[in-house]
Amino acid sequence: MADIGVGVGVGPYEELTFDAEGDVDGGTRDAVARIDATDLVVFAHGWNSDRSTATRLFDRFFAPFPELVGPAVRLGYVGVVWPSIRFSDEPIPDFDDPGALAEPGYGAALDPATRRALGAFWPGREAELDRVAELLEERPESESALIEFGALVRELAGVDAVDAVDAVGAVAGGSGSGLGVGVPAMFAEDALSVFRAFAEALASAGGPAGDPGFAAGAPLRALWGGAKEVLRQATYYEMKKRAGVVGERGLGPVLTQLAGRRPGLRIHLIGHSFGGRVVSFALRAVPDGARYVKSLTLLQGAFSHYAFADRLPHDKGRGGALRGLQRRVDGPVVACHSPYDTSLKLFYPLASRMARDSAGLFGFDERWGAIGHDGVQAVAGAPRLDLAEVLRAGLPGSGCVSVDAGSVVRRGGAPSGAHSDVCHEELARVVVAAGRMGR
């Protein structure tokens, strides 16, 4: 019988562990290299995960695979573990008490587990984090307290106050973007305006609305939910960068080395949320002409829907961050998306606009859409299918394809909605179909 990993009910299973700079733990790399398999399914977790949550995700998602693959397929399983953070007051379907999904538990205060996680995420910043927790607990109706909170979050995110002022000046001077100094607008704009924008998004997502108006004269206490969301987005800002680094500098080179040692091994990449960014950016390290990555499946991917585009619709002189890299997959790149994912429907575009363009702070602009919200965009010939059609007729043999998985990815509470509702046999079947591993 195959060896089964600790906490994971399939085998052979190993975890591949990376640090924040993308450096791999050598022992886990060597353990993965010893897996005896024809096909390796490699799953990277998302940003709102601690190690325990990641292991449960791998266990639940991998469970159907042994009964789905053909007799000639010997599967090996890999869980990619990278330093992320979990806001533990956000319930996850399948893992948390089902009753929690219906409760308005996402309040302004920090729960103890999240406070500990933030301490590990920002080591040495205990004084700042204690003050952040104190302000979120008290929620004073005070402009100065909200402004102080904004300054504390900016410090935690490593944004220099002078750079923030310069970013606002650059926008006022007509550049229309904070890109020149690399400061997200949510750290450079007026704190009360930013908190109000996130509070409005929370109300739309069914989170704690406080006062329903959120107009310019709305009570200041109503803005603390938005303030906490900005704290979450400060970790998002760091996680987005980190996921790309782990993929390009860590996972990609490890897989290239493994393929060199095991030339017949077929590798299938899976990523949830920012884990989709990890596995996609790993393609940057895949040599042109290599054929060892046989499929890539994104589950509610938290990166741009234009990532694979050769030309951006709003800037024809530029392409997406991963333009053309779908050609390094010897099979399809499948983007599963759902309209019930409020994390990607509301908060991802809001945070992306604030990270890229102050001038577009409050208006909707499709340039900031997530691939897990509406699938692959601006890639010629990329089909758009629904899940039932894929399960009935299969997938194309190559190229980008979008799959509307809203028929199963639909459960979850505020503020993220169905973002983490990905442990379904139907989605496992999508991976098997993408990798041509079925019976």
Side-chain angles (χ1 to χ4, degrees):
M1 180 178 177
D3 293 333
I4 293 176
V6 176
V8 176
V10 297
Y13 169 83
E14 297 290 347
E15 289 182 349
L16 189 58
T17 303
F18 297 92
D19 67 15
E21 285 72 44
D23 292 326
V24 66
D25 176 276
T28 66
R29 178 196 57 212
D30 295 344
V32 167
R34 291 192 294 268
I35 293 177
D36 180 18
T38 60
D39 293 72
L40 209 60
V41 286
V42 180
F43 193 165
H45 66 78
W47 76 298
N48 200 28
S49 300
D50 54 23
R51 192 181 195 103
S52 172
T53 304
T55 300
R56 286 188 289 169
L57 170 66
F58 303 147
D59 176 50
R60 184 66 64 89
F61 191 82
F62 285 150
F65 277 78
E67 302 302 318
L68 300 179
V69 300
V73 175
R74 294 195 321 279
L75 277 184
Y77 304 86
V78 176
V80 176
V81 178
W82 57 287
S84 181
I85 182 173
R86 182 181 180 198
F87 273 66
S88 57
D89 55 1
E90 292 184 46
I92 296 177
D94 298 318
F95 298 167
D96 296 316
D97 182 351
L101 299 178
E103 297 173 2
Y106 186 83
L110 285 180
D111 68 289
T114 300
R115 170 62 186 84
R116 289 192 297 272
L118 289 171
F121 186 71
W122 282 309
R125 309 305 294 271
E126 296 302 315
E128 293 92 337
L129 287 169
D130 285 344
R131 180 57 177 158
V132 161
E134 181 182 14
L135 288 168
L136 288 175
E137 182 70 34
E138 296 176 357
R139 289 173 288 164
E141 290 199 47
S142 161
E143 286 192 11
S144 62
L146 286 159
I147 291 169
E148 178 191 1
F149 184 89
L152 286 166
V153 173
R154 187 172 61 230
E155 290 177 20
L156 289 168
V159 175
D160 184 89
V162 174
D163 286 343
V165 171
D166 288 346
V168 175
V171 173
S175 74
S177 173
L179 279 173
V181 291
V183 175
M186 62 182 162
F187 303 137
E189 289 288 322
D190 170 67
L192 271 64
S193 297
V194 172
F195 296 163
R196 183 170 286 110
F198 277 107
E200 289 173 342
L202 270 174
S204 298
D211 186 281
F214 294 117
L220 294 174
R221 190 174 178 85
L223 301 185
W224 283 104
K228 180 184 179 183
E229 185 60 27
V230 170
L231 175 66
R232 263 180 25 101
Q233 296 303 329
T235 67
Y236 155 97
Y237 171 59
E238 180 63 30
M239 287 298 100
K240 184 174 183 178
K241 294 186 295 182
R242 185 177 293 180
V245 168
V246 171
E248 182 174 0
R249 301 180 188 173
L251 179 60
V254 168
L255 295 179
T256 298
Q257 182 184 53
L258 177 61
R261 297 170 60 181
R262 304 269 301 279
L265 186 65
R266 297 159 41 91
I267 297 173
H268 310 275
L269 300 178
I270 312 164
H272 169 240
S273 185
F274 273 152
R277 187 175 172 88
V278 171
V279 294
S280 297
F281 273 70
L283 296 178
R284 286 184 168 180
V286 174
D288 286 329
R291 313 313 295 170
Y292 54 85
V293 177
K294 298 298 182 179
S295 66
L296 187 154
T297 305
L298 305 171
L299 307 174
Q300 302 310 114
F303 60 98
S304 173
H305 55 194
Y306 295 139
F308 292 98
D310 288 327
R311 291 181 178 84
L312 301 178
H314 53 279
D315 185 351
K316 298 297 185 180
R318 296 173 54 222
L322 301 169
R323 56 187 174 277
L325 292 189
Q326 65 270 27
R327 301 181 187 97
R328 297 186 181 180
V329 179
D330 187 26
V333 171
V334 183
C336 296
H337 57 95
S338 169
Y340 303 105
D341 183 337
T342 51
S343 179
L344 298 184
K345 180 179 181 179
L346 295 174
F347 294 105
Y348 177 87
L350 180 57
S352 295
R353 289 198 303 272
M354 289 185 173
R356 297 293 301 278
D357 191 345
S358 299
L361 194 61
F362 301 109
F364 177 75
D365 189 325
E366 288 187 357
R367 81 184 72 179
W368 310 126
I371 201 168
H373 170 60
D374 57 5
V376 175
Q377 301 291 327
V379 174
R384 305 186 66 81
L385 309 173
D386 64 35
L387 182 59
E389 184 178 1
V390 170
L391 296 180
R392 181 179 65 255
L395 287 159
S398 63
C400 292
V401 57
S402 302
V403 176
D404 185 343
S407 59
V408 296
V409 181
R410 55 191 306 120
R411 297 180 302 140
S416 296
H419 185 61
S420 295
D421 185 23
V422 296
C423 293
H424 297 281
E425 181 177 320
E426 293 90 340
L427 298 183
R429 289 181 180 275
V430 170
V431 175
V432 170
R436 293 152 286 181
M437 297 182 285
R439 293 181 178 276

